[in-house]
């Protein structure tokens, strides 16, 4: 029996891919006040960055070591390197037609388990001095976009209701918003939001936020650039003794031992 398959035409196609491997000193700034020229994925190998948006998305976006972010074309912002020798790898591209999915319509952190490996694949031919055909970079970019989409689609429909709150907490973990605020972002009652959030993450919204704060504080302390109080306050903890207690419970030692 012979089968014939008709492939769907993609919603968008890409062109003009370029890659950058950059290390900058603490305090270095790059500015896109007139808008970013291309769509861009930014992966922080080591160190930490902060993107301050000048229009639209008002809150700062902090990018830690091992994190991947996407910033759409025309985004207006200033990027600041927060730690010495912050090392980033950047993948930029244009679209020839169509539009990216809604979840890539604004600056966002990308939750992708193999993000580092996928980003590194763009740089392997350069580092190994192998000549490349442009199709190689097209294949890598489509693979990255495919994996992001697959990861997004794996989320059960009922948990996708939490997307707005999860994004808000992940990006702005240092802000002391109420659970009611997060529930409102998801158009849910606070009771139903708490129940669904715990079902999905295994934690309450506040415990989830505190966990992100602790991870950020640990990264800051390990950099050697911040003391315990500075790391605690920058991560959103106003009560130092509470911070130390949570830190010891999570990591088995006090923050001073980092």
């Amino acid at each position: 029996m012979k089968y014939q398959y008709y492939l769907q035409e993609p919603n968008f196609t890409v062109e003009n891919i370029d890659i950058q491997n950059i290390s900058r000193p603490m305090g270095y700034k790059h500015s896109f006040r007139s808008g970013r020229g291309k769509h861009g994925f930014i992966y922080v190998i080591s160190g930490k960055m902060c993107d301050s948006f000048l229009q639209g998305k008002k809150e700062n976006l902090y990018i830690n070591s091992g994190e991947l972010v996407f910033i759409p074309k025309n985004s207006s912002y200033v990027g600041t390197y927060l730690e010495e020798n912050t090392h980033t790898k950047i993948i930029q591209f244009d679209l020839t037609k169509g539009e990216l999915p809604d979840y890539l319509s604004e600056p966002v952190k990308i939750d992708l388990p193999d993000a580092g490996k996928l980003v590194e694949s763009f740089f392997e031919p350069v580092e190994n001095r192998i000549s490349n055909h442009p199709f190689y970079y097209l294949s890598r970019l489509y693979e990255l976009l495919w994996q992001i989409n697959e990861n997004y689609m794996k989320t059960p429909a009922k948990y996708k209701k939490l997307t707005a709150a999860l994004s808000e907490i992940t990006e702005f973990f240092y802000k002391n918003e109420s659970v009611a605020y997060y529930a409102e972002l998801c158009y849910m009652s606070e009771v139903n939001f708490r129940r669904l959030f715990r079902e999905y993450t295994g934690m309450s919204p506040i415990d989830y936020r505190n966990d992100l704060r602790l991870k950020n504080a640990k990264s800051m302390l390990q950099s050697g650039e911040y003391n315990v109080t500075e790391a605690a306050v920058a991560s959103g903890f106003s009560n130092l003794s509470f911070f130390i207690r949570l830190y010891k419970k999570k990591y088995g030692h006090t923050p001073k031992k980092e």
Side-chain angles (χ1 to χ4, degrees):
M1 184 179 294
K2 184 177 181 181
Y3 293 92
Q4 185 171 4
Y5 297 93
Y6 295 90
L7 302 180
Q8 285 187 315
E9 186 176 347
N11 294 327
F12 62 87
T13 54
V14 301
E15 66 173 358
N16 298 331
I17 302 169
D18 68 75
I19 60 176
Q20 300 177 21
N21 188 355
I22 298 173
S23 291
R24 299 293 189 190
M26 183 171 62
Y28 182 91
K29 295 180 183 290
H30 60 259
S31 175
F32 295 94
R33 293 185 179 276
S34 299
R36 185 180 182 86
K38 291 183 178 182
H39 299 289
F41 287 102
I42 302 166
Y43 184 76
V44 176
I45 304 292
S46 60
K48 186 176 182 179
M49 293 185 65
C50 174
D51 290 333
S52 304
F53 295 90
L54 307 177
Q55 58 186 26
K57 189 181 183 70
K58 297 295 185 183
E59 300 290 349
N60 292 344
L61 179 60
Y62 290 89
I63 316 164
N64 298 304
S65 174
E67 292 185 333
L68 176 69
V69 300
F70 175 77
I71 302 182
K73 184 176 181 177
N74 298 322
S75 297
S76 179
Y77 68 101
V78 175
T80 305
Y81 289 72
L82 298 180
E83 295 180 3
E84 197 63 34
N85 297 320
T86 292
H87 183 192
T88 63
K89 290 192 174 182
I90 301 171
I91 302 155
Q92 302 185 123
F93 64 96
D94 278 320
L95 298 182
T96 55
K97 69 171 186 177
E99 296 181 354
L100 291 169
D102 287 343
Y103 55 80
L104 295 178
S105 62
E106 63 177 24
V108 63
K109 283 189 181 181
I110 304 296
D111 180 16
L112 189 63
D114 292 330
K117 186 176 180 180
L118 289 164
V119 169
E120 289 293 348
S121 70
F122 284 83
F123 296 84
E124 288 173 0
V126 177
E127 292 166 356
N128 295 327
R129 293 186 168 87
I130 302 172
S131 59
N132 299 284
H133 193 285
F135 283 169
Y136 175 82
Y137 294 101
L138 283 170
S139 72
R140 293 294 84 210
L141 181 55
Y142 280 121
E143 176 67 16
L144 177 59
L145 291 165
W146 168 255
Q147 292 296 338
I148 291 170
N149 185 72
E150 284 293 282
N151 196 60
Y152 177 79
M153 295 304 292
K154 283 178 184 176
T155 306
K158 69 175 181 177
Y159 297 133
K160 286 182 180 177
K161 297 177 183 178
L162 299 171
T163 298
L166 287 167
S167 296
E168 183 77 7
I169 296 171
T170 300
E171 293 182 28
F172 311 124
F173 55 82
Y174 51 87
K175 296 181 67 175
N176 290 313
E177 301 291 0
S178 66
V179 175
Y181 168 79
Y182 298 130
E184 188 176 347
L185 290 177
C186 302
Y187 301 98
M188 297 174 67
S189 70
E190 186 175 338
V191 171
N192 287 336
F193 173 74
R194 285 180 182 273
R195 176 189 56 76
L196 192 63
F197 196 96
R198 182 176 289 278
E199 183 180 313
Y200 182 57
T201 66
M203 293 183 276
S204 72
I206 301 304
D207 287 343
Y208 183 86
R209 186 174 68 189
N210 282 338
D211 192 64
L212 292 174
R213 290 177 173 183
L214 290 169
K215 290 176 181 176
N216 185 73
K218 183 179 178 70
S219 175
M220 294 179 72
L221 290 168
Q222 290 180 332
S223 74
E225 301 290 335
Y226 306 89
N227 62 36
V228 172
T229 301
E230 291 169 339
V233 172
S235 299
F237 291 103
S238 56
N239 186 315
L240 189 59
S241 61
F242 177 65
F243 164 68
I244 294 172
R245 186 165 66 252
L246 286 185
Y247 198 97
K248 186 174 182 179
K249 182 179 179 181
K250 180 174 177 63
Y251 295 113
H253 55 79
T254 64
K256 283 187 177 181
K257 291 188 177 181
E258 290 294 352

